Amino acid sequence: MPAITYEDNSYALGEGESVLDCLAREGHDIPSSCRSGVCHSCMLRATSGELPPAAQKGLKDAHRAQGYFLSCCCHPEGDLTVTRADDATQKVAARVLRKETLNDRVLRVVLETDKPLEYFPGQFVNFARPGGLVRSFSLASVPALGNELEFHVALVLGGSMSGWLHHEAAPGDPLELLGPLGNCFYVSGNPEQPLFMLGTGTGLAPLYGILRDALNQGHRGPIHLFHGALLASDLYLTESLRDLDGKHENFTYHASVRDEPGEDWMEQGAVDTLALKTAPDLKGWKVFLCGNPDLVKQVQRKTFMAGANMKDIHADAFLPAGGG
Ligand SMILES: Cc1cc2nc3c(=O)[nH]c(=O)nc-3n(C[C@H](O)[C@H](O)[C@H](O)COP(=O)(O)OP(=O)(O)OC[C@H]3O[C@@H](n4cnc5c(N)ncnc54)[C@H](O)[C@@H]3O)c2cc1C
Ligand code: FES
């Protein structure tokens, strides 16, 4: 069995174990969240040994060349010596500025930072709390519209981070932000391209950032945003989105409710079915899909089948911690 050397101790890697599992078993407090290679919170650096390519998937070339890797996806065939990777990710000190209720389960959390965070709306950052709890949240704010960082946080039953943010976090409470990460964001340069955005729940957070970024940058092509829910009360920011729909001729907001009729202006049905009925031919479109991992995966396939080019489909699956 390969040996993993960390902080001067060597451990035999168990059958099927990742480097993260092995170090956690030995009592080392390595931050982690998604355990699926998405959030990058488990990044370490190899100082000797050969890394399997899967452990460096999605990393910047410069990081790859320096031996950084994702320990949750690392199953090496030979011995490795590894260290922490504290210098690999941008870290920004932040404080809770205010919290606002968006619906029964969703909170808008606004943070301020000591130094401005450089990001594209729609990317995500990892919230790190003292004690090592790390969870990813998507940026709903737009830097060109102000320095405050906006997040939409759904309350998960028994959830460590969402529970803390909903019930305990108060203005002034500190948080460390790691990132930004992800490639689900608007890129200027093709202002006539039609945009298709679809999300459920707080999948709206990155879409709300991307939408306002595109409008703010003068995007001229049609933009359709589909926000789906089971019940009308699960939707949020409806007034703000209807207001943007009224102000921008090229933007259409589609709110849909699956399990009840909802209000007059809402559509009833499954969000993906309704969306693909509205936009059945996606050749030449840019697609953004965010939120529930199963839905994101399904709609990724459906939008590809409807003609969208794979490189134009950007997806952020909100994987639960532990790899769910
Ligand atoms: C790239 C990315 C972006 C994300 N962006 C957002 C965002 O903008 N807004 C947001 O609210 N969340 C977002 N998430 C999810 C977020 O990171 C956390 O997973 C979520 O807040 C739950 O964390 P927790 O600590 O409260 O719950 P945990 O303590 O991790 O979980 C408590 C229990 O609930 C289960 N659980 C966790 N999540 C769910 C779920 N969604 N449905 C059902 N059961 C669940 C767990 O398996 C566990 O049993 C994102 C995730 C990723 C990977
Ligand atoms: S990338 Fe390893 S825990 Fe998320």
Side-chain angles (χ1 to χ4, degrees), residues 208-225:
Y208 190 59
I210 296 165
L211 165 70
R212 292 182 305 139
D213 193 24
L215 293 174
N216 190 52
Q217 293 200 47
H219 192 84
R220 295 189 292 272
I223 308 176
H224 289 269
L225 187 155

Side-chain angles (χ1 to χ4, degrees), residues 194-197 211 214-215 219 221-225 250-253:
L195 308 183
F196 176 105
M197 304 182 177
L211 165 70
L215 293 174
H219 192 84
I223 308 176
H224 289 269
L225 187 155
N250 61 332
F251 170 54
T252 314
Y253 166 49

Side-chain angles (χ1 to χ4, degrees), residues 169-247:
D173 281 354
L175 265 174
E176 192 167 53
L177 304 184
L178 316 176
L181 293 158
N183 55 15
C184 199
F185 53 81
Y186 177 74
V187 180
S188 57
N190 195 354
E192 305 294 342
Q193 187 175 28
L195 308 183
F196 176 105
M197 304 182 177
L198 184 147
T200 52
T202 45
L204 181 61
L207 301 179
Y208 190 59
I210 296 165
L211 165 70
R212 292 182 305 139
D213 193 24
L215 293 174
N216 190 52
Q217 293 200 47
H219 192 84
R220 295 189 292 272
I223 308 176
H224 289 269
L225 187 155
F226 303 90
H227 190 207
L230 300 183
L231 303 174
S233 56
D234 297 335
L235 294 168
Y236 66 90
L237 286 178
T238 52
E239 263 178 47
S240 166
L241 289 163
R242 291 180 84 189
D243 189 48
L244 287 172
D245 179 318
K247 283 189 183 139

Side-chain angles (χ1 to χ4, degrees), residues 20 31-42 70-73:
L20 176 64
S32 71
S33 183
C34 73
R35 289 177 175 258
S36 306
V38 174
C39 73
H40 293 198
S41 62
C42 65
L70 302 176
S71 58
C72 69
C73 304

Side-chain angles (χ1 to χ4, degrees), residues 102-123:
L102 292 171
N103 70 20
D104 288 352
R105 275 193 59 227
V106 180
L107 195 66
R108 174 188 260 145
V109 176
V110 179
L111 304 183
E112 60 178 354
T113 52
D114 289 344
K115 54 175 188 169
L117 180 77
E118 285 177 30
Y119 69 96
F120 295 106
Q123 286 192 292

Side-chain angles (χ1 to χ4, degrees), residues 10-280:
S10 271
Y11 311 109
L13 196 66
E15 184 72 39
E17 227 179 18
S18 67
V19 171
L20 176 64
D21 293 333
C22 170
L23 295 179
R25 163 170 58 80
E26 295 297 334
H28 294 288
D29 194 10
I30 310 293
S32 71
S33 183
C34 73
R35 289 177 175 258
S36 306
V38 174
C39 73
H40 293 198
S41 62
C42 65
M43 201 189 296
L44 295 177
R45 185 174 178 196
T47 53
S48 77
E50 198 167 322
L51 289 165
Q56 294 190 301
K57 204 172 157 204
L59 299 189
K60 292 180 194 158
D61 289 347
H63 281 163
R64 258 190 228 144
Q66 292 169 82
Y68 291 104
F69 69 99
L70 302 176
S71 58
C72 69
C73 304
C74 187
H75 301 269
E77 293 193 354
D79 296 350
L80 277 186
T81 302
V82 307
T83 64
R84 289 196 179 262
D86 291 337
D87 49 346
T89 325
Q90 194 187 165
K91 283 194 181 86
V92 176
R95 278 170 306 281
V96 176
L97 196 56
R98 60 179 182 277
K99 305 196 303 185
E100 294 162 19
T101 301
L102 292 171
N103 70 20
D104 288 352
R105 275 193 59 227
V106 180
L107 195 66
R108 174 188 260 145
V109 176
V110 179
L111 304 183
E112 60 178 354
T113 52
D114 289 344
K115 54 175 188 169
L117 180 77
E118 285 177 30
Y119 69 96
F120 295 106
Q123 286 192 292
F124 67 91
V125 289
N126 289 317
F127 284 25
R129 290 207 56 214
L133 181 67
V134 178
R135 295 289 181 267
S136 311
F137 292 97
S138 306
L139 284 146
S141 43
V142 179
L145 302 178
N147 287 336
E148 294 178 357
L149 303 178
E150 172 177 335
F151 302 89
H152 305 163
V153 179
L155 180 62
V156 170
L157 198 68
S160 321
M161 184 66 88
S162 64
W164 177 75
L165 287 164
H166 274 253
H167 303 308
E168 291 174 50
D173 281 354
L175 265 174
E176 192 167 53
L177 304 184
L178 316 176
L181 293 158
N183 55 15
C184 199
F185 53 81
Y186 177 74
V187 180
S188 57
N190 195 354
E192 305 294 342
Q193 187 175 28
L195 308 183
F196 176 105
M197 304 182 177
L198 184 147
T200 52
T202 45
L204 181 61
L207 301 179
Y208 190 59
I210 296 165
L211 165 70
R212 292 182 305 139
D213 193 24
L215 293 174
N216 190 52
Q217 293 200 47
H219 192 84
R220 295 189 292 272
I223 308 176
H224 289 269
L225 187 155
F226 303 90
H227 190 207
L230 300 183
L231 303 174
S233 56
D234 297 335
L235 294 168
Y236 66 90
L237 286 178
T238 52
E239 263 178 47
S240 166
L241 289 163
R242 291 180 84 189
D243 189 48
L244 287 172
D245 179 318
K247 283 189 183 139
H248 297 270
E249 239 174 61
N250 61 332
F251 170 54
T252 314
Y253 166 49
H254 306 260
S256 59
V257 179
R258 201 192 68 186
D259 293 349
E260 61 177 12
E263 294 176 30
D264 291 351
W265 58 274
M266 298 173 184
E267 297 172 54
Q268 188 179 3
V271 62
D272 51 337
T273 312
L274 294 169
L276 283 149
K277 220 178 196 176
T278 305

